[in-house]
Amino acid sequence: GSETSAGRICQYRYERGILKRENDMYFTFDAYKNLISEIVKHGYAITDYHSYQTVKKPCILRHDVDMDLKRAAAFAEMEAGLEEGVKATYFVLVSSNFYNLFSRENQELIYRMIHSGHEIGLHFDEKKYMTEENFDAELLKRAVVREVKLLEDIIEKPVKVVSIHRPSKKFLESEMEFEGIINSYDSMFFQKFKYISDSRMNWREPVEKIVAGEKEEALHILTHPFWYSDTEKTMDSLLRNFIIKAQKERYLTIKDNFSRLDDVLCQEEFL
């Protein structure tokens, strides 16, 4: 029946999640630390979108924060503590349904990233403003500038780089330029750099082999801090725990703003 089919699908997803695909490194802090060590060992200089022209064999580290600022802040502090002295660019959304950059807690998380020495860039959600069918380059440019100013007000620092969240084909083909703001999807960072991403918890190409091969003159590596933990975890378990944790966080938020909540809802149901 449907229950049996659903069970088989879930089991398949679980089994697939724990297998290490050919192109994958493990999604653990230790595996990431080892990747950074290998990058430096093989002659690459970790840099950013502003200084890559001043070093030989540059490697830009880009991190997109799609869902969880807490995990991103922890990742930023882990990264800053590496002996290689890693400084990366963390791109955050101002229009996320998962986190509110204006809240005190989330502002403190952003400051933790900044105090760790990292740069904060804008992660811009194109689909908030348009579909690919009604793509409007000028509207998009104005919206990016507006969101950059908003993010600058929040973090009280200049924002000089933007990455597009799930960019459309039309955006990628448009070669978009923003005045005073670097577009991480500029053709420069794809044609002269080897771009490698861990999107959907899957390296499209074998990042460790590419680094060790030393054939690429420049690297542009995108990672998502959400996928990394102390120990190897499956994609489904990470997503499931994130959803379950949201229930606890929502309860505690209501408790802070609602007198005698325990008279209405039992705390043990949610914690």
Side-chain angles (χ1 to χ4, degrees):
S2 59
E3 290 185 7
T4 303
S5 299
R8 287 173 179 168
I9 291 171
C10 287
Q11 181 63 25
Y12 168 74
R13 287 175 177 163
Y14 174 77
E15 290 172 351
R16 205 175 96 177
I18 62 175
L19 292 176
K20 184 170 183 283
R21 292 176 287 261
E22 181 181 353
N23 289 340
D24 284 352
M25 69 177 201
Y26 290 108
F27 285 85
T28 62
F29 293 148
D30 284 343
Y32 183 78
K33 292 174 184 178
N34 182 67
L35 175 63
I36 296 299
S37 178
E38 289 296 300
I39 288 170
V40 174
K41 172 184 171 182
H42 290 285
Y44 293 97
I46 295 174
T47 184
D48 55 34
Y49 292 96
H50 315 286
S51 306
Y52 66 89
Q53 292 174 314
T54 67
V55 300
K56 186 178 180 181
K57 295 186 70 174
C59 174
I60 296 175
L61 298 177
R62 165 186 162 190
H63 302 309
D64 286 356
V65 185
D66 294 340
M67 295 184 285
D68 195 335
L69 272 179
K70 285 184 179 178
R71 293 179 74 89
F75 194 88
E77 291 173 336
M78 174 276 294
E79 195 172 38
L82 300 180
E83 63 182 28
E84 291 82 5
V86 175
K87 308 300 180 189
T89 305
Y90 283 75
F91 290 94
V92 299
L93 292 154
V94 299
S95 58
S96 172
N97 288 326
F98 293 113
Y99 55 83
N100 172 16
L101 290 184
F102 283 96
S103 77
R104 183 180 65 183
E105 179 183 6
N106 287 328
Q107 285 189 348
E108 289 173 352
L109 293 172
I110 289 286
Y111 294 145
R112 281 171 55 186
M113 296 181 205
I114 294 171
H115 293 155
S116 296
H118 303 295
E119 179 178 10
I120 301 298
L122 173 68
H123 202 29
F124 179 82
D125 188 358
E126 174 190 353
K127 295 173 182 62
K128 173 185 173 183
Y129 297 92
M130 64 193 71
T131 63
E132 191 158 7
E133 290 70 30
N134 68 344
F135 183 83
D136 185 332
E138 293 306 313
L139 170 60
L140 193 147
K141 287 182 181 179
R142 293 194 300 271
V144 165
V145 170
R146 185 165 62 247
E147 289 199 7
V148 161
K149 290 180 178 177
L150 185 61
L151 182 55
E152 288 180 332
D153 286 342
I154 294 171
I155 68 174
E156 298 181 327
K157 284 185 173 294
V159 174
K160 297 296 183 182
V161 194
V162 61
S163 74
I164 306 302
H165 180 57
R166 303 179 68 189
S168 67
K169 182 180 178 182
K170 284 192 175 179
F171 173 84
L172 294 174
E173 293 173 346
S174 68
E175 285 294 320
M176 190 77 65
E177 293 183 0
F178 307 104
E179 186 175 353
I181 305 166
I182 295 171
N183 175 10
S184 71
Y185 281 96
D186 188 289
S187 59
M188 160 68 70
F189 302 115
F190 290 83
Q191 294 175 4
K192 299 198 174 182
F193 284 70
K194 176 63 177 178
Y195 175 74
I196 322 167
S197 168
D198 70 351
S199 295
R200 288 185 61 85
M201 205 176 181
N202 178 30
W203 290 98
R204 300 295 190 265
E205 298 179 77
V207 60
E208 294 166 309
K209 291 180 182 178
I210 290 171
V211 170
E214 298 185 16
K215 293 180 180 178
E216 303 296 338
E217 288 302 312
L219 300 175
H220 185 194
I221 299 178
L222 166 60
T223 54
H224 297 76
F226 183 83
W227 300 129
Y228 296 82
S229 307
D230 288 323
T231 58
E232 180 78 356
K233 291 181 171 59
T234 61
M235 178 193 288
D236 70 295
S237 69
L238 285 167
L239 293 171
R240 189 183 306 277
N241 289 339
F242 180 63
I243 293 169
I244 292 171
K245 186 178 71 171
Q247 180 173 260
K248 172 183 176 181
E249 292 175 347
R250 181 64 60 87
Y251 179 90
L252 293 175
T253 299
I254 294 175
K255 187 174 182 179
D256 284 342
N257 295 276
F258 189 94
S259 299
R260 301 190 307 279
L261 179 60
D262 289 341
D263 293 345
V264 183
L265 294 173
C266 180
Q267 181 168 318
E268 284 69 25
E269 293 181 53
F270 305 97
L271 303 183

